[in-house]
Amino acid sequence: MEIEGRDFMNTPPLKTVRFGGNVVATLAKFKQGDTSDYELLKHQLADPDIKDAQIINWLQEFRNCVTQLSKDHEQLIYVALRLPWLGRSPAVVEEYLSFLSNLVSAQTVYLRACLKMVVSNFKPSEFLSVCVDILITQYDLPRSFDQCHQALQLIGRYVPSTSCFLMPILIENFPFVQKSSRTLECYVHNLLSGCCTVWLSFTLPRSVMSITFCQVVVQYGCLSLSPGDEDVCSVKSSPAGTNVMVHPVAERLDTLMVVLLAFIKDMCHVNGCLDVERTKDLYKDLVCVFDKLILPTHASCHVQYALFYLCSFRLALAEAFLEHLWRLLQSQSHPAVLRQSAAGYMGSFLARANFLPVATVRACLDLLVPWLHLYIDSQDSGSRAYCDITLHGPFYNACQAVFYTLIFRHRSILEGNMKKGLAYLQSLNLERIVMCQLNPLKVCLPAVTNMFAAITRKYQLVFCYTIIERNNRHVLPVVRSSVGGDCVSTNTNPLDSFFPFDPYCSDADEDDFLRGETPETKGVMGMTPGSYESHLHSPSSVGSPPISFLQRPF
């Protein structure tokens, strides 16, 4: 091991100004009860003005007696681990890494302490997080982060069980949402960039992505559910004429989304071209994260757009995701709540993904609609042929998915050849679904019901208004006002449904559907690689446009 012509294994320690004896002699005195040199050693190691030569000298001495550094010397080791090695000369970095490898090999009791030290450096200090100018000009964070990843790889090489200890530490150190945007950005950057290098040696990429997505899901969820935070995505104009996020925490979380999407883009592209195999591998990992974390999280905020964005790279991925949702919806082995959520994701994806061709939309309708008819066949003559969300939840959510899809995609189905398109819509026999005893219009969102009724009346497919008026006369169960009195409110969302791929942090004016108008096909659907970047430059955007993840300036 040679750095700048020096052989560390055979070269004696550098001569430096120091007090007390060497480490071996100090340990011997400590064993005999003399702690004076021992305390002096800890004091010298903690010196904020310690020089490179001094660090190298001490670390070499520690390596020469590493077998003596038992649990009795825990405090000394903790001080040594906190030596300022990052950003130092290559000789210091190399010597420190050698010290780490020797320590974890000879004294595995310090494995957790070593891992905690490395992971703690995934976040810049609070001072650097605030002082962006210093952060960029005087502190080389990318190089320091690379050195941290190198340290983890080295530890994992000597201790095969490292991954078992590393995962809890990564979770434990994930910064809370109240930390600065820079701290959150740096930590997530290190987690995700490690998926390309460090975590591969530990077979941890999927687990690390799960940590990242879990934290974003949880923290976005806390943000959404906080009282008085209904307008977390709204923006306002500052005196300088720029747009500022109204909710201060929302901007930090959106920073994490920018990092996530930039990571996905760079993972899937090599030299500007899509790498199919890497993209497929990432898709499999994200689908596992989706099933485990996102799908069970009701009204998940925004994080699901990571998978949406990935699917926009290649039609085969989008179709695979739709097939996956379709299997979940059909599966009797899954809880009804997950099947209902899968139907919601399927309908929202079909409606909002403008990268889906009409053929794919029709293919999905050809799966959903016959399934609805078969379900009606199985229930119409039975004892449960009445409107009940508890009994027929997946059916109602699948109905709403079909209605919602047709609201957004009926124009694309009809354009080009109105006669054939109309014949196709008529072949779906939507009237039977609407008129069945299960009465899906009674439980669907009023906005969906009314828009679907207007469109189907326009093309004379179904006349829904008689049923809507009848349902309005039979008011749904009501709940009394929480403030007391006789004031009651109608439950207008009995399915507790949401549309996960509605526009990301958009003003209501940007979406015709949200205004109660017939949606236009263009400009209201989800993000593609191009539309994502333009979205972030729009008046309602927050954060900054995605840039190269692996070369992101810190």
Side-chain angles (χ1 to χ4, degrees):
M1 181 187 304
E2 294 189 8
I3 296 292
E4 298 180 354
R6 293 183 63 248
D7 185 346
F8 283 103
M9 302 302 294
N10 301 313
T11 302
L14 296 175
K15 299 297 182 181
T16 58
V17 178
R18 52 188 283 182
F19 302 93
N22 59 36
V23 174
V24 175
T26 301
L27 295 180
K29 286 184 178 182
F30 180 82
K31 190 173 183 180
Q32 295 172 359
D34 183 356
T35 62
S36 57
D37 283 359
Y38 195 83
E39 294 300 322
L40 180 60
L41 173 57
K42 290 195 297 182
H43 179 74
Q44 292 182 82
L45 290 173
D47 181 4
D49 297 322
I50 191 170
K51 301 297 189 291
D52 286 9
Q54 292 174 305
I55 295 176
I56 293 171
N57 188 278
W58 287 122
L59 291 176
Q60 285 182 339
E61 290 194 25
F62 276 119
R63 289 205 293 125
N64 290 334
C65 61
V66 71
T67 55
Q68 301 178 42
L69 300 174
S70 62
K71 186 72 172 174
D72 296 335
H73 304 294
E74 187 175 44
Q75 290 185 3
L76 178 62
I77 292 301
Y78 287 167
V79 174
L81 288 175
R82 287 196 291 268
L83 282 168
W85 64 286
L86 291 172
R88 294 275 185 161
S89 66
V92 172
V93 173
E94 190 70 23
E95 187 61 47
Y96 190 90
L97 294 178
S98 298
F99 164 68
L100 279 184
S101 60
N102 286 7
L103 183 63
V104 297
S105 299
Q107 305 287 351
T108 53
V109 68
Y110 294 117
L111 175 61
R112 281 181 55 84
C114 292
L115 293 175
K116 284 185 175 182
M117 178 280 300
V118 175
V119 173
S120 68
N121 287 299
F122 280 4
K123 299 171 286 187
S125 68
E126 292 299 320
F127 176 72
L128 289 176
S129 297
V130 175
C131 302
V132 178
D133 292 338
I134 296 177
L135 182 71
I136 295 174
T137 60
Q138 298 182 17
Y139 198 75
D140 191 352
L141 278 179
R143 183 162 66 98
S144 296
F145 292 156
D146 288 343
Q147 290 165 355
C148 289
H149 296 166
Q150 186 181 356
L152 287 178
Q153 286 179 303
L154 195 63
I155 294 171
R157 190 182 308 156
Y158 286 96
V159 186
S161 61
T162 294
S163 58
C164 300
F165 297 90
L166 180 58
M167 289 302 297
I169 292 172
L170 292 174
I171 297 172
E172 177 184 308
N173 279 269
F174 200 103
F176 188 59
V177 69
Q178 298 295 340
K179 292 293 184 180
S180 68
S181 296
R182 203 57 165 173
T183 298
L184 290 165
E185 185 177 12
C186 288
Y187 194 81
V188 172
H189 169 89
N190 277 293
L191 287 185
L192 296 177
S193 63
C195 291
C196 312
T197 53
V198 182
W199 318 130
L200 291 177
S201 59
F202 300 144
T203 63
L204 286 179
R206 184 174 296 173
S207 300
V208 172
M209 277 191 285
S210 294
I211 293 175
T212 306
F213 278 86
C214 180
Q215 291 297 323
V216 177
V217 166
V218 169
Q219 296 190 19
Y220 257 123
C222 293
L223 171 68
S224 301
L225 297 176
S226 298
D229 285 350
E230 292 85 354
D231 298 324
V232 294
C233 289
S234 60
V235 294
K236 64 180 180 180
S237 298
S238 67
T242 58
N243 292 301
V244 180
M245 176 67 72
V246 172
H247 197 292
V249 178
E251 184 171 3
R252 296 173 198 151
L253 292 171
D254 284 337
T255 296
L256 300 189
M257 285 301 299
V258 171
V259 176
L260 280 173
L261 297 179
F263 162 74
I264 290 171
K265 182 177 181 180
D266 284 2
M267 274 288 289
C268 296
H269 292 82
V270 177
N271 298 325
C273 298
L274 186 71
D275 187 309
V276 176
E277 292 305 315
R278 290 180 61 173
T279 302
K280 285 168 59 179
D281 290 341
L282 181 59
Y283 169 79
K284 293 175 183 176
D285 290 340
L286 287 188
V287 166
C288 289
V289 173
F290 173 82
D291 289 345
K292 182 180 179 181
L293 296 173
I294 301 175
L295 185 66
T297 303
H298 178 68
S300 171
C301 289
H302 311 318
V303 70
Q304 62 269 14
Y305 264 105
L307 190 53
F308 186 98
Y309 182 58
L310 176 65
C311 288
S312 71
F313 293 160
R314 194 175 180 88
L315 178 59
L317 296 177
E319 292 178 342
F321 181 54
L322 287 167
E323 184 179 357
H324 179 71
L325 294 172
W326 168 239
R327 286 198 300 267
L328 289 174
L329 171 60
Q330 291 183 96
S331 175
Q332 297 288 337
S333 63
H334 284 82
V337 65
L338 292 184
R339 297 173 62 199
Q340 292 170 213
S341 184
Y345 271 91
M346 192 172 183
S348 188
F349 193 86
L350 288 170
R352 297 291 188 169
N354 61 1
F355 48 82
L356 288 178
V358 178
T360 300
V361 176
R362 288 181 54 163
C364 289
L365 289 174
D366 289 342
L367 294 173
L368 284 167
V369 174
W371 183 83
L372 294 175
H373 285 299
L374 288 174
Y375 190 89
I376 294 170
D377 291 340
S378 69
Q379 300 295 325
D380 261 359
S381 58
S383 59
R384 304 195 305 177
Y386 55 90
C387 184
D388 190 310
I389 296 172
T390 304
L391 295 176
H392 312 296
F395 169 80
Y396 291 128
N397 278 272
C399 286
Q400 184 162 267
V402 170
F403 301 161
Y404 191 71
T405 300
L406 289 174
I407 288 170
F408 280 88
R409 304 307 295 255
H410 70 278
R411 281 199 179 99
S412 57
I413 292 173
L414 294 171
E415 68 183 6
N417 192 321
M418 174 69 78
K419 184 177 181 180
K420 285 186 177 180
L422 197 57
Y424 171 75
L425 293 178
Q426 291 170 344
S427 72
L428 298 178
N429 195 5
L430 297 171
E431 184 176 12
R432 181 171 183 254
I433 297 173
V434 169
M435 301 290 183
C436 74
Q437 297 181 64
L438 301 182
N439 194 3
L441 293 183
K442 186 175 183 179
V443 296
C444 289
L445 279 173
V448 174
T449 299
N450 293 331
M451 190 68 67
F452 177 74
I455 292 170
T456 52
R457 182 180 65 176
K458 177 180 179 180
Y459 296 103
Q460 299 185 1
L461 297 171
V462 189
F463 295 95
C464 303
Y465 288 104
T466 301
I467 296 175
I468 293 174
E469 290 172 2
R470 185 184 67 197
N471 289 336
N472 289 338
R473 287 195 296 270
H474 298 82
V475 181
L476 290 170
V478 297
V479 291
R480 291 197 173 273
S481 172
S482 60
V483 298
D486 297 329
C487 178
V488 295
S489 58
T490 304
N491 182 4
T492 57
N493 186 12
L495 290 178
D496 205 16
S497 53
F498 74 107
F499 302 103
F501 299 119
D502 273 6
Y504 185 121
C505 285
S506 294
D507 293 334
D509 292 342
E510 295 180 9
D511 197 332
D512 296 324
F513 179 72
L514 299 177
R515 298 205 308 266
E517 302 174 6
T518 304
E520 295 290 339
T521 303
K522 297 180 181 179
V524 296
M525 300 184 192
M527 294 184 288
T528 63
S531 65
Y532 168 67
E533 297 188 20
S534 62
H535 163 80
L536 287 175
H537 289 293
S538 70
S540 62
S541 66
V542 294
S544 56
I547 56 178
S548 177
F549 178 80
L550 298 177
Q551 298 178 357
R552 193 171 178 77
F554 286 95

